[in-house]
Amino acid sequence: MLVARRIDEEAIAMQRQGELPGYAPMKGQEAAQVGSAAALDLTRDFAFPNYRDLGAAVAMGVDLVGYLSTHLGTWHGGMYDPQASRLAPVNAVVGGAVPHAVGWAMGARLDGTGGVAITYFGDGASSQGDVHEALNFAAVYRLPVIFFCQNNGWAISVPAERQVAGGSVAARAAGYGIEGVRVDGNDVLAVFEATSEALCRGRDGGGPTVIEAMTYRMGPHSTSDDPGRYRTLEEEREWAERDPVARAAANLPAEVVAEAEAHAAQVVRQVREGLIATGERPAGELFSFVYREPTKALLDQQRGSHV
């Protein structure tokens, strides 16, 4: 969690320094992401992230230079290996990763490996039609998939109570005949336990689970956002008192926390140096993997990019 927090802070600094074009901060959501990802069995499960799931990538041991290269716009979904890491490419479409996870879960059911998919999305994305279609499909076929909603209180500038009918994403699970759980998203152990139970349910044929982790985005929606325009300092201070990193640290000896800080600082240096050393990629790579069999127009454009 501390590594995720410090890299998140460094990414913001790099954006301000012109090293990254843009970034979506995740400060405050470390427990939700790390607690859920830590429960996965990386030999058979698969995670499908959105654009704010750095903590999941850290917990899963993903190459962080490759992961953050997504924010440089240098490659299709990052330069890490999704198959080896078990983390799908970063998906910037709101709710876009959810149907992908359901499709993977269908494959996992057919091949009998016992794998479970987990897909991350926010309270705002829960209003997308793709999410509801994915929930219905997964429920009908009793697929092994966890719908992990990080309810951070804000769909950019719209508060959750103004865009989530009924006030709860987890409660919607009942309409699909599947399990729905609301958990304290700032309690890493509670998140881990809820995710572990959902994984067991999926492996045992119990079908999908909706987990709504109640948390808070302590920073802006993105580095181009000003949260001061739509929420109060009082609200931010109230949630700062529930900081998931500080909460976890309070249960650990001081020397353990100090070691974690030193480790995080080392990782931050390595990631920063690695990102800066990445450099620009060949322009022709933009055309790779667009189609299995490139069209003539695409090939003409690709040839023109080398002129």
Side-chain angles (χ1 to χ4, degrees):
M1 291 171 64
L2 197 54
V3 167
R5 170 68 61 88
R6 297 296 176 246
I7 291 180
D8 186 69
E9 294 170 344
E10 184 66 21
I12 295 172
M14 291 183 70
Q15 192 279 328
R16 301 306 190 211
Q17 295 160 6
E19 299 290 349
L20 290 179
Y23 179 70
M26 48 76 68
K27 182 179 181 180
Q29 299 180 219
E30 293 88 355
Q33 296 177 15
V34 171
S36 56
L40 302 177
D41 178 349
L42 299 185
T43 66
R44 52 181 174 171
D45 300 330
F46 217 101
F48 293 80
N50 64 26
Y51 48 81
R52 199 189 308 279
D53 292 316
L54 170 64
V58 171
M60 295 174 69
V62 176
D63 170 41
L64 296 177
V65 173
Y67 173 86
L68 285 170
S69 70
T70 304
H71 299 281
L72 288 171
T74 55
W75 191 241
H76 304 274
M79 297 179 70
Y80 64 94
D81 185 343
Q83 187 62 36
S85 66
R86 314 299 287 174
L87 182 73
V90 174
N91 196 319
V93 177
V94 177
V98 181
H100 297 175
V102 172
W104 187 93
M106 173 65 86
R109 164 65 60 78
L110 294 173
D111 65 24
T113 61
V116 177
I118 183 169
T119 177
Y120 293 95
F121 58 100
D123 49 292
S126 72
S127 300
Q128 291 289 110
D130 284 359
V131 174
H132 291 278
E133 292 175 21
L135 279 162
N136 185 66
F137 190 94
V140 167
Y141 289 96
R142 309 301 293 175
L143 298 180
V145 57
I146 300 171
F147 297 89
F148 195 92
C149 175
Q150 297 175 77
N151 188 336
N152 64 19
W154 292 91
I156 307 183
S157 60
V158 181
E161 61 266 20
R162 285 180 51 197
Q163 55 91 24
V164 176
S168 171
V169 176
R172 293 176 177 173
Y176 298 102
I178 61 178
E179 191 73 17
V181 179
R182 177 177 273 196
V183 64
D184 182 350
N186 284 11
D187 183 338
V188 67
L189 295 180
V191 172
F192 180 86
E193 291 173 4
T195 308
S196 297
E197 291 175 3
L199 287 166
C200 289
R201 185 178 300 113
R203 297 194 210 289
D204 294 341
T209 301
V210 176
I211 297 177
E212 183 180 18
M214 305 304 293
T215 183
Y216 191 73
R217 167 171 54 79
M218 296 172 71
H221 173 77
S222 70
T223 45
S224 61
D225 175 41
D226 176 11
R229 298 180 63 184
Y230 53 82
R231 67 189 191 192
T232 65
L233 283 174
E234 289 74 18
E235 176 184 312
E236 293 181 355
R237 288 167 180 160
E238 178 185 347
W239 276 96
E241 294 177 358
R242 310 180 204 177
D243 186 333
V245 175
R247 186 171 172 178
N251 296 318
L252 297 171
E255 58 270 22
V256 173
V257 177
E259 290 175 3
E261 281 283 13
H263 171 66
Q266 180 182 11
V267 174
V268 166
R269 285 193 298 271
Q270 293 172 344
V271 171
R272 180 185 177 86
E273 292 170 358
L275 278 174
I276 292 175
T278 297
E280 295 185 1
R281 304 290 298 182
E285 287 185 346
L286 292 172
F287 300 90
S288 302
F289 311 119
V290 178
Y291 295 108
R292 181 179 178 183
E293 296 179 4
T295 63
K296 180 180 182 302
L298 194 67
L299 290 172
D300 289 342
Q301 292 174 27
Q302 185 174 17
R303 283 191 289 270
S305 71
H306 296 296
V307 176

